[in-house]
Structures are given as C-alpha cells and as structure tokens.
Amino acid sequence: MSKSYLKQMLTYFSKVYHLGEKINTLKDKRVKSSVKISTITFVVLFGFMLQIRSFNRLEHWLKKGKFKKALPKKTKMPRIDTIRRVLSNFDLDGLNELNNSIIKTSIKNKVFRRGTIDGLKVVAIDGVELFESTKKCCGNCLTRVQKDGITHYFHRTVVCSTIGSDSHLILGQEILEPKKDGSDKDEGEITAGKRLIRKLHREFHHFADIIVADALYCKSTWVKEVLSIGMDAVVRVKDERLNYS
C-alpha cells in the first residue's frame, strides 16, 4: 500500500466517518502510559486493514517502522507486549459505539442503496471461535471435554456481516454465554443469533433484506425470528439432507 493511497484513505475516513476524532475518545484501564491508546488503536486497525494475520507479523512490522509514515512525527510506537495488555483491558463499549457510528453513517450515506446482491441487502450470520486453551480460562468461558478427558476452555461468538458487493461491514456480534445454574449446557449458537438480530433491529431497524445462515440454522424457531423483524431467511442445507426424489 503506497503512502499516497494510505493518506487518501485516512483522509476519507477522517472526513466522512470522523474516525480519528472517535478513536481519541477510546479508553483502557491503564492508569498512566507513555503510549497513547489512539496510537495502539491505529496500529491494530492498520494491521487489520493490511490483513496481518498474527501478532508476530505485526511485531515485525513495528520493528521495521512500517506504521510511522501513517502517524504524526515523533509519535511513540508501542511494543507488541503493550498492545497485548491494552487489548486485554480495552473499552469495548466505546469500540462498539464507534462501530455503530460507522454503520449508521454508511446507512445515511446510502452506501448500499443498490443492495449487495441483485439489489437486495444481504447479510450472513455465523459462529466463530475466538480463543481456546486447556490452561487459561475465565468466568465467561465455554467448555468442552475431549475424549482424553481434558477440558478445553474457549470463547465463541455469533457474527453478522454484509456479503456480496463491497464494502463489507461487520454489523455486530454476540458472545455465547456459559452454562448457568441448573443447566448442564452452554448457550447454543441459535439462541445467541436470535439475540443478535433483535439487537441489530433495535439499533439499525431494517438492516438487511435477507439473512443467510448455514445448515445449523435450519430450524423453524430461527426462520420465525427472522420473519418477525421483517426480513427473509435463506438457510443452506447440507447435501446429505436434500431430497432428490
């Protein structure tokens, strides 16, 4: 990515979405630090935009000074350990507000006025596993016991994103909740999915014409939930479940 293109892109984000101004309002739980939270946010954002796939690669880019040309002169760059600590104590409410602001601006500016597929706004919803460990866990971890008897701790979220033509926006996500008192199972993906689309409907109203999901969502309760908010559901059924007769 050239310096001129990067500058144009950042200027556009700043003028249209006020990204720089909103990033400066984000907070973390550090009492005092010489590295600004806005700098760390920009570095992570650039890493995401440039499709850097690991913290090891991000660390390599930091050491090579790849991000300096995109930030004001004399900006103190963070170390990768600092980025890890900040992300573990990040202001998620502020980050969600920033994402919602971007989505509302996109809707206001009619980014999808021609739809994303054949004139229709289409979104996909699916579950994604974020973290897994046999040693580290927290009160919000889901659990599964493998055949060897070892318990695995993990986090799983349901994500809703636009699909089809560019640009692709992540409209929201909903974390699956662990088992509660009196229950022997963690929360299911469909339950979290229904909670997510209700939340998105309250926030953005008619955020899509069609919601696409995989075979897991081939249940009447899911289809009825989608229809209840004025949208259509498309569920991909696996080949072995098709009736060819």
Side-chain angles (χ1 to χ4, degrees):
M1 186 179 292
S2 67
K3 184 176 181 180
S4 60
Y5 180 80
L6 186 59
K7 184 177 181 180
Q8 290 175 5
M9 183 171 59
L10 293 176
T11 300
Y12 171 78
F13 286 155
S14 180
K15 287 185 176 180
V16 177
Y17 294 97
H18 308 290
L19 192 60
E21 175 185 331
K22 294 182 183 301
I23 283 178
N24 284 327
T25 66
L26 296 176
K27 301 175 181 178
D28 68 335
K29 297 180 180 179
R30 295 176 300 167
V31 177
K32 186 178 180 181
S33 176
S34 58
V35 181
K36 294 182 179 179
I37 182 66
S38 57
T39 301
I40 294 173
T41 304
F42 271 117
V43 167
V44 175
L45 176 62
F46 291 158
F48 177 78
M49 291 165 55
L50 298 172
Q51 297 183 339
I52 296 177
R53 298 186 178 183
S54 70
F55 270 14
N56 288 335
R57 187 62 179 170
L58 182 61
E59 183 177 23
H60 174 75
W61 279 52
L62 285 168
K63 289 179 178 179
K64 292 291 184 179
K66 297 285 188 178
F67 297 101
K68 288 185 177 179
K69 62 183 180 181
L71 293 165
K73 292 182 179 180
K74 298 183 179 180
T75 298
K76 184 170 182 178
M77 301 301 293
R79 295 178 180 273
I80 197 66
D81 289 341
T82 302
I83 293 177
R84 287 192 176 99
R85 286 196 299 271
V86 168
L87 292 181
S88 66
N89 293 285
F90 208 81
D91 174 22
L92 295 182
D93 290 336
L95 195 61
N96 285 330
E97 288 178 10
L98 190 155
N99 189 59
N100 288 348
S101 174
I102 291 173
I103 296 168
K104 288 178 179 177
T105 301
S106 299
I107 294 172
K108 180 181 177 181
N109 292 349
K110 299 181 180 179
V111 172
F112 301 116
R113 63 184 177 275
R114 296 181 182 178
T116 61
I117 299 178
D118 293 335
L120 298 170
K121 288 187 294 183
V122 184
V123 301
I125 191 165
D126 199 7
V128 180
E129 194 165 302
L130 304 176
F131 164 86
E132 181 185 12
S133 175
T134 58
K135 298 179 180 179
K136 296 181 180 180
C137 67
C138 70
N140 294 319
C141 276
L142 308 180
T143 58
R144 57 171 168 255
V145 180
Q146 303 289 59
K147 292 181 179 180
D148 55 11
I150 297 177
T151 300
H152 290 243
Y153 304 95
F154 64 100
H155 285 229
R156 189 170 181 83
T157 183
V158 176
V159 179
C160 181
S161 172
T162 60
I163 58 173
S165 61
D166 292 333
S167 56
H168 298 152
L169 292 179
I170 295 177
L171 301 181
Q173 66 169 343
E174 191 71 17
I175 299 290
L176 274 66
E177 297 179 354
K179 64 186 74 172
K180 298 179 180 180
D181 293 341
S183 174
D184 59 350
K185 291 184 178 181
D186 294 322
E187 183 177 46
E189 188 175 314
I190 292 181
T191 301
K194 290 192 287 187
R195 189 166 66 246
L196 174 59
I197 64 172
R198 287 195 297 266
K199 183 171 70 175
L200 293 178
H201 186 256
R202 288 194 301 269
E203 187 73 32
F204 309 118
H205 308 298
H206 192 76
F207 61 90
D209 299 307
I210 298 174
I211 300 178
V212 179
D214 61 22
L216 176 66
Y217 292 80
C218 190
K219 291 181 171 58
S220 61
T221 54
W222 168 253
V223 175
K224 289 178 181 178
E225 191 72 39
V226 175
L227 294 176
S228 72
I229 59 174
M231 302 175 194
D232 290 321
V234 172
V235 178
R236 183 186 183 279
V237 180
K238 294 182 179 179
D239 292 344
E240 58 264 27
R241 296 180 63 181
L242 294 176
N243 185 351
Y244 291 98
S245 60

